Amino acid sequence: MKKIILLSFLAIICSTTGCKKFLDKVPSSFVAPENYFNNEKEVNTALNGVYDILSREQTFGGQLPIRHAVSTDESFFSYASFPTGPFYYNFGADDATIRDLWRYLYDGIERANVLLANLDKANMDEGKKSVVKGETLFLRAFYYFILVQNWGGVPLKLTPTTSINNVNIPRNSVKEVYDQILKDMVEAEGLVKKISDIGFGGRVSKSAVRGILARVCLNMAGYPLNDVAKFKDAATWAAKVNEYGEHALNPDYSQVFINLCKDQYDIKESIFEAELYGSNSDAFREGGRIGNENGVKCSASTDLIPTVGFAYGFVSTTRKLYTSYEYNATDASKRDLRRDWAIATYTLNASGVKANIAATNIYARNCAKWRREYEVVTPKNKNYTSTNFQILRYADVLLMLAEAENEVNNGPNATAVNALNEVRRRGYGKLLAGATNPANADYPGAISLSKAAFLKVIQDERARELCFEGLRKSDLIRWGIFVNTMQATATEFTTYAAMTTTIYKNARDAAQRVTATHLLYPIPILEMSLNKAMVQNEGY
């Protein structure tokens, strides 16, 4: 059972308004804000409404890590029935997937603004009120972070909408948006609780704020701002994540994802999660698509779905990712165990029986991190699961620390190398009970590498460790190598994949289609039509 059950009553406070302008929603409901926010219960209901955006199917409940982030050098969209979309880099300002992401992020911002504007009047413990303020500030900033990553400069809206007549809101610059993100998150860090006091990853904790601040600063240090001073801040925030000794890698890489499927929390590794609940067949309807769209392909017949589940296999590996793992068939000490958990070795047929994939058939291998066989909510829904999505985990923090330290010190230091090798040791099974010779998993000669060479090591290690978790595209963009990398990926498909197979041809075409225009999304056409102060991104 999840710790947060997101209440449908939140719509009373922060309802959407259909086709009205996304940025300028006036809550239309039976309960006006001035008559609400009177006590702790009402405040917590409204706060749950701000959190609710994280778990929507259009955000981390499905589309953000899957349809928005799937086509990179580590994965491709392996479903032929959708002809256009961000997963094929074939879209315009009228794309529904892009429009919905914009809409829900601004819904979350409006909900946060309404709560922040009314929080002071609530009759509740001041300490609890401060925690709510911190969580809300962070969530608002986090939604802006996703917006600025995908659209560049966007309108900064920091107060609730009071009139639908004020619709012309100009875009702020990328720097202005990032400055506000930093301001809100830094304030939030001093207000929220430690994760050990919360006990699960579904709430904003100091660890979550610090880890995401490291991510924000790394993005600011890279393209398009290229504010290299932020590398030092990224290193500081990443190091502070474990100030209280609350975090460590789960010794078993596979268990990280089994825990998610089983609705089990592990706050040592899993720092911040988007909460999903139930099978979407109940009154809450808070199920998501994790494991369904991006799981091991399962074609179970209708009568078996309630027990076996169903998965479309929308996300598959590239050859580059698969072959990047060291895997010596005869020498177990040279075997990266992450490969055969992250990348499927089998599919399930209509009878729910596993069928092994031929060793040479790399492109037929789906993402396998989230497996429906471990789900505990039954009967299983064909299209929805209760599996949480990890927005931030400790392995990511370690790799961010290694990257930032490398930049600050003009090459790897002991902190950077130790952080990298801690992740690698877990990948090779060296943190498991009874494991021997842990140093055998360390990257050879890492301390002697140049800054550029060590960065390449980190780039490759992030792919091996964090593949399919929705981070690769933004990583490639901030490193300034997105377009060239995608062109190289197109060449890979041409060289190694059968172009007579539709999904492989589509993947090749998608990668080949990428230009500098695709560094950003277009402003949705509806927003452009209503907001006369809005300027469209170049190329759309």
Side-chain angles (χ1 to χ4, degrees):
M1 179 67 70
K2 299 289 190 276
K3 301 292 194 302
I4 301 175
I5 298 178
L6 300 167
L7 305 178
S8 59
F9 187 65
L10 62 90
I12 294 177
I13 304 303
C14 305
S15 65
T16 63
T17 54
C19 292
K20 291 183 181 178
K21 186 177 180 298
F22 299 149
L23 298 190
D24 294 278
K25 297 184 182 71
V26 177
S28 56
S29 64
F30 297 105
V31 181
E34 57 265 26
N35 297 323
Y36 203 71
F37 302 99
N38 299 304
N39 52 51
E40 182 177 342
K41 180 180 179 180
E42 292 179 352
V43 165
N44 285 335
T45 298
L47 177 60
N48 285 348
V50 185
Y51 273 102
D52 176 63
I53 297 300
L54 287 177
S55 304
R56 291 283 185 170
E57 181 179 342
Q58 295 81 5
T59 58
F60 290 101
Q63 292 181 8
L64 253 180
I66 302 171
R67 302 192 187 193
H68 288 282
V70 60
S71 295
T72 66
D73 62 335
E74 70 180 22
S75 60
F76 68 98
F77 192 72
S78 49
Y79 192 70
S81 296
F82 301 156
T84 62
F87 35 84
Y88 286 140
Y89 300 105
N90 184 17
F91 53 78
D94 60 344
D95 185 88
T97 304
I98 294 172
R99 178 199 66 213
D100 286 348
L101 179 59
W102 173 279
R103 170 196 168 187
Y104 278 101
L105 292 172
Y106 271 110
D107 277 351
I109 289 165
E110 178 67 14
R111 295 177 184 192
N113 286 338
V114 171
L115 176 51
L116 290 169
N118 290 276
L119 183 58
D120 284 345
K121 73 179 187 181
N123 182 17
M124 60 183 292
D125 178 81
E126 290 300 319
K128 292 180 179 179
K129 191 182 292 185
S130 292
V131 172
V132 171
K133 181 180 180 181
E135 293 179 48
T136 309
L137 282 170
F138 172 83
L139 291 171
R140 182 177 71 179
F142 187 59
Y143 298 147
Y144 270 121
F145 179 48
I146 301 168
L147 283 164
V148 77
Q149 284 183 301
N150 286 283
W151 281 275
V154 295
L156 272 174
K157 191 170 180 302
L158 305 176
T159 58
T161 298
T162 57
S163 171
I164 61 172
N165 295 319
N166 182 21
V167 299
N168 298 321
I169 306 176
R171 299 174 69 165
N172 291 79
S173 69
V174 170
K175 185 179 186 306
E176 288 171 334
V177 177
Y178 269 114
D179 286 346
Q180 186 64 45
I181 290 167
L182 288 179
K183 179 177 181 296
D184 281 355
M185 287 191 178
V186 170
E187 183 177 356
E189 191 269 344
L191 298 174
V192 298
K193 295 180 179 180
K194 293 164 52 179
I195 196 169
S196 56
D197 293 333
I198 299 170
F200 66 106
R203 287 280 184 183
V204 176
S205 65
K206 288 189 183 298
S207 298
V209 178
R210 292 168 175 179
I212 297 298
L213 271 166
R215 185 181 293 175
V216 168
C217 289
L218 282 180
N219 275 265
M220 295 180 73
Y223 180 88
L225 285 181
N226 296 312
D227 181 0
V228 295
K230 289 296 185 291
F231 281 122
K232 183 176 181 180
D233 294 336
T236 298
W237 286 117
K240 287 190 72 173
V241 167
N242 209 16
E243 178 182 359
Y244 306 114
E246 298 166 304
H247 301 291
L249 296 179
N250 189 309
D252 186 343
Y253 183 74
S254 64
Q255 195 63 44
V256 174
F257 305 96
I258 292 172
N259 286 341
L260 291 167
C261 296
K262 287 187 172 183
D263 287 349
Q264 295 176 354
Y265 293 104
D266 172 15
I267 61 172
K268 288 186 176 182
E269 168 113 12
S270 185
I271 296 173
F272 187 39
E273 302 179 13
E275 298 263 63
L276 283 303
Y277 176 83
S279 62
N280 229 49
S281 301
D282 50 35
F284 298 111
R285 297 190 64 80
E286 287 290 340
R289 307 304 295 267
I290 306 303
N292 169 253
E293 288 192 351
N294 62 342
V296 178
K297 188 172 183 178
C298 175
S299 306
S301 58
T302 302
D303 59 313
L304 289 177
I305 288 173
T307 54
V308 176
F310 190 91
Y312 292 93
F314 282 178
V315 181
S316 295
T317 186
T318 61
R319 185 179 186 276
K320 177 182 179 180
L321 175 66
Y322 187 79
T323 58
S324 73
Y325 293 95
E326 184 180 21
Y327 204 88
N328 189 306
T330 59
D331 186 350
S333 69
K334 298 180 179 179
R335 194 176 298 166
D336 193 330
L337 304 180
R338 293 172 295 186
R339 189 194 72 178
D340 287 352
W341 182 265
I343 302 171
T345 60
Y346 63 91
T347 61
L348 290 95
N349 61 22
S351 301
V353 177
K354 292 182 179 180
N356 290 332
I357 301 171
T360 57
N361 197 3
I362 293 175
Y363 290 113
R365 299 173 184 270
N366 307 125
C367 163
K369 283 186 168 179
W370 304 274
R371 306 187 184 193
R372 299 209 65 180
E373 61 197 87
Y374 293 100
E375 289 175 25
V376 294
V377 174
T378 55
K380 296 177 183 178
N381 185 303
K382 178 181 180 181
N383 290 326
Y384 291 91
T385 77
S386 64
T387 300
N388 282 9
F389 181 78
Q390 283 175 316
I391 298 171
L392 177 70
R393 58 189 181 90
Y394 188 53
D396 185 11
V397 174
L398 289 171
L399 292 176
M400 288 192 290
L401 176 62
E403 180 181 348
E405 286 285 345
N406 179 56
E407 295 290 340
V408 171
N409 294 282
N410 200 35
N413 58 7
T415 299
V417 171
N418 290 341
L420 166 70
N421 286 335
E422 188 173 348
V423 173
R424 288 179 58 85
R425 289 181 181 190
R426 195 264 298 275
Y428 282 75
K430 298 299 184 179
L431 302 187
L432 295 169
T436 58
N437 301 317
N440 286 354
D442 294 354
Y443 194 89
I447 195 67
S448 300
L449 294 176
S450 67
K451 183 173 78 169
F454 191 78
L455 174 60
K456 182 62 169 62
V457 171
I458 292 296
Q459 290 171 342
D460 293 343
E461 200 64 45
R462 285 185 68 82
R464 286 187 286 265
E465 175 67 27
L466 304 168
C467 56
F468 314 128
E469 296 181 37
L471 297 170
R472 189 63 174 179
K473 181 182 174 184
S474 59
D475 278 347
L476 293 173
I477 290 172
R478 68 181 176 84
W479 289 326
I481 60 174
F482 176 58
V483 176
N484 289 343
T485 298
M486 294 308 296
Q487 294 306 310
T489 301
T491 300
E492 176 201 302
F493 277 105
T494 301
T495 304
Y496 294 104
M499 288 298 101
T500 54
T501 302
T502 300
I503 58 173
Y504 304 156
K505 181 180 182 298
N506 287 350
R508 189 276 311 273
D509 292 349
Q512 205 168 55
R513 198 174 283 125
V514 171
T515 67
T517 297
H518 297 98
L519 294 170
L520 296 174
Y521 280 154
I523 304 297
I525 194 168
L526 180 57
E527 188 64 41
M528 291 296 301
S529 68
L530 293 172
N531 183 355
K532 303 308 179 184
M534 184 68 75
V535 177
Q536 183 59 276
N537 280 326
E538 187 175 351
Y540 296 105

